[in-house]
Amino acid sequence: MSNNGYTNSRIQKRTEAIDRLLQGRSESVKVNVLDYMMKYDIDPENEFFVIMLTNLRQNS
């Protein structure tokens, strides 16, 4: 049994969240954040991760 639909949905959700939170940042920054999220299985709607990304955006 394959979980490809679920996996693809999670990847798409994470990518959309990164695009919204890191709007105006370089593609390499977005890729690095996505890699980090996938490596550590971070939910893009995790409030602490969202706060961290928001602070990253404000501090640059």
Side-chain angles (χ1 to χ4, degrees), residues 9 17 19 41 48 57:
S9 173
D19 286 344
D41 196 31
F48 297 110
R57 226 180 129 177

Side-chain angles (χ1 to χ4, degrees), residues 25-51:
R25 299 297 222 140
S26 71
E27 288 301 313
S28 64
V29 168
K30 293 177 186 179
V31 167
N32 287 336
V33 171
L34 179 60
D35 286 345
Y36 184 85
M37 291 174 73
M38 297 301 286
K39 180 177 180 179
Y40 295 104
D41 196 31
I42 296 173
D43 183 345
E45 295 185 9
N46 176 305
E47 61 273 8
F48 297 110
F49 192 70
V50 171
I51 290 168

